[in-house]
Amino acid sequence: MQLDDKSALVTGGGSGIGLGIAQALDREGCRVAIVGRDEAKLRAAAAAFSRPPLVRACDVANRRAVADLFAWFESQWGTPDILVNSAGVNIARRQMSELDPADWDQVMAINATGAFNCIHAVLPGMRRRGSGLIVNISSIAGKRAMKLGGAAYCAAKFAMTALGTTVGLEERPHGIHVTNIYPGEVATPILKHRPTPVPPERIAQMLQPEDIAALVVAIAKLPPRVLVPELVVTPLYQEYA
């Protein structure tokens, strides 16, 4: 399938994995909107696209703002053919012994409830059309709890995993495809919030945003009869079992 007649909305589109995915879809001819909380960052990122993407500042944790976001997108291009939920955060003080309840709330609100808000908003239009692709950028921390991710991040990603899996089961009869992607370590700005700095040589070995983007493009180009429910991808050095 070709993507030059498709539209995509990518949350977390101002940097990292979201930006990489948005740029890859743009190169395939897809009409792209990038969404994030920082409009200045989004507009700076938009300069690297072959065609100017739509830009919209939105906090996905704000349900009213998300409703307005999808109404705005509908007024431009109709219901997105592709929704990529890539907005995500983590915090430095992530061990349970030091975890601030306010940080827990923030991580859950953006990583889990934010994905719910966007999926809830896009599904009516996808159902009416009888097609759509939703890609959730979870994490291997959403499949295997790990101390490195921290309690809040792992819990939020497990929630996103369950959300995507359940929606995928429910929406297949409506022609809607849902894919959960579980990356291992990726070289993105979220590394700035690690409890200890990551050495450059380790960053060089990590997955890059374009690696995840290539997978999303491949999934989006599959024929409608094909469903990829989930996909685990790690750098060569990282164990996953």
Side-chain angles (χ1 to χ4, degrees), residues 2-222:
Q2 301 303 309
L3 301 181
D4 53 10
D5 63 340
K6 304 298 183 182
S7 64
L9 188 153
V10 182
T11 71
S15 63
I17 295 173
L19 176 57
I21 292 170
Q23 290 173 328
L25 291 171
D26 169 66
R27 288 192 295 270
E28 293 291 328
C30 198
R31 295 168 293 159
V32 177
I34 54 174
V35 177
R37 290 180 293 173
D38 188 334
E39 185 170 353
K41 181 189 290 186
L42 292 169
R43 296 205 174 277
F49 285 69
S50 62
R51 295 179 299 176
L54 295 180
V55 171
R56 179 84 171 195
C58 177
D59 179 357
V60 295
N62 184 321
R63 192 160 294 142
R64 176 59 184 270
V66 170
D68 291 343
L69 165 68
F70 280 87
W72 163 80
F73 191 99
E74 290 268 357
S75 72
Q76 302 289 320
W77 292 335
T79 299
D81 295 289
I82 303 167
L83 167 64
V84 179
N85 287 310
S86 188
V89 298
N90 204 349
I91 68 267
R93 293 167 57 86
R94 56 185 66 171
Q95 290 189 13
M96 194 64 185
S97 59
E98 58 183 9
L99 180 59
D100 187 321
D103 287 338
W104 165 274
D105 290 344
Q106 180 195 37
V107 173
M108 292 297 293
I110 294 173
N111 296 8
T113 303
F116 168 83
N117 290 340
C118 292
I119 292 172
H120 189 266
V122 82
L123 279 177
M126 286 186 171
R127 291 188 192 114
R128 286 192 298 270
R129 189 179 55 216
S131 66
L133 171 64
I134 298 170
V135 178
N136 300 311
I137 305 302
S138 185
S139 166
I140 60 170
K143 294 278 278 184
R144 306 283 191 273
M146 54 186 64
K147 290 193 293 183
L148 179 62
Y153 186 80
C154 290
K157 290 299 187 179
F158 264 76
M160 181 190 238
T161 293
L163 170 68
T165 301
T166 305
V167 172
L169 291 171
E170 293 177 353
E171 299 299 333
R172 292 182 194 194
H174 303 118
I176 299 169
H177 297 62
V178 180
T179 299
N180 287 341
I181 297 182
Y182 309 102
E185 290 191 311
V186 187
T188 72
I190 202 171
L191 295 177
K192 296 176 183 177
H193 299 286
R194 284 278 181 92
T196 57
V198 184
E201 58 271 20
R202 178 64 169 261
I203 294 175
Q205 295 178 314
M206 290 180 179
L207 297 173
Q208 301 299 311
E210 56 264 30
D211 302 331
I212 313 302
L215 296 173
V216 173
V217 168
I219 292 167
K221 295 177 77 171
L222 290 170

